[in-house]
Amino acid sequence: MMVQKIFKNTGKLLRIATIALSATVATSLVHAEGDWPTGPVKMIMHTKAGGSADVFIRTLAKSLEPEIGQEIIVINSPGGGGASQIGRIRPAEPDGLTLGVNTLTHFTSMLTNLKGTFSIDDFSWIASTQEDAIIFFVRENSDIHDMNTIKSKALKNKENINIDSLRPIGSMQNMGMSMLKNAADVKFKWVGFNATPDIIAALLGGHLDVGISNLGALKSFFDADRIKGLGVLGEKRLSGLPDVATLTQQGYDADNSWLPVRGIFGPANMPMETQPKSLMHFTKPCNLTAIKHTPAPLA
């Protein structure tokens, strides 16, 4: 029931963010180039270096710097389920020079572990920039070969299958694990990490059975044959991992419309004309309400 309430309230927050973002994009495009602020742009991350979101923003920053003619400094500030990052963004000047990457976990956190400390009105939600399906993976020499193997081992070993990822309970990765748990009718152990490299280190060291992350942070490990994919929570296979089937293709009735969404946000009351113009070349209006939310309890 608690998780159902979180989903319902999260939907309300996402609708508010969608309306605010649509107004932001529409207004920003009519301002002259000279209205944008000058100086280095600080991009504050909620994860350690090397994670999917970190790879994403560093790639985006490399593309943006020549467009805006300004340096972009990426600052990693993990911890507290996002509290460390947003605690640095909230008091910043709303001049467009202090920004951060957000995920849907930011919204669920404001309804759970960060409720009463931070709220959606504390920030300016600028744009949605990326959708990134989650991947279940294991080390290359693991005796787990697909999702059915996970189910068989979980049924045999009760709750002794460790599935781990970054972020706390309520994150997209945790929701993905919960969907698999419900679809397979088994139980897993969950432990959250602060970054994908920590997950991979624990996985390769034999301390974890299964990891969950996104292709951006995992590609080099797939290319080096250090890990293998078990399944993708998405409507289609990933072009970068064409041999890894979706959960649905493997017979599990999971809601594939759940996709981790990343966006750009800043402190509250950021004037429309000061929001970085060049971001609009790399983003699209955020239609978060189009992402379907399963009403079934996940915990």
Side-chain angles (χ1 to χ4, degrees), residues 204-252:
L204 296 180
H207 306 295
L208 304 180
D209 298 299
V210 181
I212 305 176
S213 189
N214 313 100
L215 186 57
L218 299 177
K219 189 176 187 307
S220 61
F221 293 93
F222 278 116
D223 293 342
D225 294 326
R226 301 291 305 280
I227 61 176
K228 60 184 178 182
L230 302 179
V232 174
L233 182 60
E235 295 179 352
K236 299 179 180 179
R237 298 190 185 203
L238 299 177
S239 59
L241 287 177
D243 295 331
V244 181
T246 67
L247 267 62
T248 300
Q249 290 172 332
Q250 297 184 60
Y252 294 93

Side-chain angles (χ1 to χ4, degrees), residues 136 163 173-181 188 190 212:
F136 294 83
I163 295 186
Q173 291 85 352
N174 177 256
M175 292 178 184
M177 182 276 290
S178 297
M179 290 178 191
L180 173 62
K181 180 189 72 174
F188 304 113
W190 173 267
I212 305 176

Side-chain angles (χ1 to χ4, degrees), residues 98-142:
T98 301
L99 303 170
V101 172
N102 72 276
T103 66
L104 289 180
T105 303
H106 285 66
F107 295 97
T108 57
S109 292
M110 292 179 194
L111 295 169
T112 53
N113 59 305
L114 300 182
K115 184 177 181 180
T117 304
F118 300 99
S119 72
I120 188 173
D121 294 328
D122 292 335
F123 306 96
S124 298
W125 306 98
I126 299 172
S128 174
T129 58
Q130 186 185 48
E131 295 177 349
D132 199 2
I134 65 173
I135 302 167
F136 294 83
F137 65 97
V138 293
R139 58 186 177 276
E140 181 59 32
N141 62 355
S142 171

